[in-house]
Amino acid sequence: MNRLLFPPALIAMAMLLLGFANPGHSDNREVLGAGDTLRVTVFQNPDLTTETRISEQGTILFPLIGEVTLRGQTPTAAASRIALQLKQGDFLKNPQVSVTVMQVRSRQVSVLGLVARPGRYALDDTSSKLTDILALAGGIVPGGDDTVTVMGNRGGRIQKIEVDVPGMYRTGDMSSNVEVQNGDTIFVPRAPVFYIYGEVLRAGAYRLEPNATVMTALSLGGGLTPRGTERGLRINRRMPDGGVKRIDARLADLIQPDDVIYVRESLF
């Protein structure tokens, strides 16, 4: 069987060209920004290999040529810019440069609301799902809602996405575990509550679970006192116009966020 033999230099050049087509794990569609960590490699010049971080001014310091502005460039464009300056400075005749993104810090999302550690978090290739970012922020704290809001720019328009995080795990359907993008804001609101007072053992505010009824509310309130009665239950409900509507309630009635349930005293 005939085999084609290639000179080692030619093989090395082919591998280098493949590296330019897919430099490291970086995506050529993503631009570089302040805080990103790069590795710059010059073919056949290992002494020029540099690992550096883009400054707040969007620049790096590179051997021989000094300060180079890379913010807003793709990794491929950044490599071309460095190569051009090496050539224009008569340091190398035909420099072959590659730029690999080692760590991305310029792509960030904001996490607000009821999480353990609100703040800004960097996106990278291994932590761009909603649940990954929530984990970085320490998770949802007690009192936080199950439904998390993600807001960001999608196709030039601000889009609002609501995700029931526990619901994904209950059903096993993770299709709602959205990919968050640079500039997104994740907000965990306070969980909805209702209030119960009157002739119950533990009056107060309670978290409103899905499909909760007046009977559920009585149970959470510890049940009726010896003087309480299930007759004449009343709900005070805040309406969209700001007014309050009084509703004669039954045990099977669903309750809504901010409902106030009053349990009367038995007359007998």
Side-chain angles (χ1 to χ4, degrees):
M1 181 177 178
N2 292 330
R3 294 184 178 180
L4 294 177
L5 299 179
F6 297 95
L10 185 58
I11 294 174
M13 181 62 71
M15 293 178 64
L16 181 64
L17 291 175
L18 288 172
F20 287 141
N22 182 23
H25 65 265
S26 62
D27 184 346
N28 284 341
R29 293 173 298 176
E30 296 289 351
V31 297
L32 304 175
D36 290 349
T37 301
L38 312 177
R39 175 183 290 152
V40 184
T41 305
V42 182
F43 182 57
Q44 291 187 337
N45 288 271
D47 54 319
L48 294 180
T49 297
T50 302
E51 286 197 12
T52 184
R53 183 172 167 182
I54 300 178
S55 70
E56 291 298 321
Q57 291 72 40
T59 63
I60 67 167
L61 288 175
F62 193 74
L64 302 179
I65 59 177
E67 192 171 54
V68 186
T69 299
L70 298 183
R71 180 163 52 193
Q73 303 287 311
T74 65
T76 299
S80 298
R81 175 169 291 190
I82 294 170
L84 179 62
Q85 293 192 24
L86 286 171
K87 185 175 182 179
Q88 289 178 339
D90 289 330
F91 299 111
L92 297 172
K93 288 187 176 181
N94 188 28
Q96 304 293 322
V97 180
S98 67
V99 172
T100 302
V101 181
M102 306 302 295
Q103 185 178 35
V104 178
R105 300 293 298 180
S106 59
R107 298 169 56 232
Q108 295 187 335
V109 296
S110 298
V111 185
L112 307 175
L114 295 182
V115 293
R117 296 186 295 274
R120 292 180 61 82
Y121 291 88
L123 295 175
D124 57 40
D125 293 338
T126 60
S127 62
S128 58
K129 293 287 190 180
L130 170 62
T131 52
D132 296 325
I133 303 302
L134 288 175
L136 289 175
I140 301 173
V141 300
D145 197 3
D146 290 345
T147 300
V148 175
T149 300
V150 180
M151 294 191 67
N153 192 316
R154 302 290 188 276
R157 299 178 59 185
I158 298 299
Q159 185 176 1
K160 178 180 178 181
I161 305 170
E162 293 188 337
V163 181
D164 180 0
V165 176
M168 291 191 299
Y169 292 97
R170 283 195 299 267
T171 63
D173 180 8
M174 301 299 292
S175 61
S176 298
N177 194 17
V178 296
E179 291 271 355
V180 291
Q181 299 181 11
N182 181 36
D184 281 359
T185 297
I186 299 169
F187 177 65
V188 180
R190 186 174 299 278
V193 298
F194 69 90
Y195 306 87
I196 186 167
Y197 74 108
E199 295 300 327
V200 289
L201 293 174
R202 295 192 299 271
Y206 292 90
R207 182 186 179 111
L208 179 61
E209 301 294 343
N211 301 316
T213 64
V214 173
M215 184 181 293
T216 306
L218 291 177
S219 175
L220 290 171
L224 304 177
T225 68
R227 297 189 304 271
T229 177
E230 295 177 357
R231 292 176 295 178
L233 295 170
R234 189 176 69 220
I235 296 176
N236 294 324
R237 180 167 293 164
R238 181 74 63 181
M239 305 306 291
D241 61 3
V244 176
K245 181 179 180 180
R246 292 186 175 182
I247 303 170
D248 292 328
R250 296 170 297 181
L251 292 177
D253 287 346
L254 294 175
I255 53 180
Q256 298 182 11
D258 298 322
D259 276 357
V260 179
I261 301 170
Y262 174 62
V263 180
R264 294 179 178 179
E265 181 179 358
S266 175
L267 299 178
F268 303 100

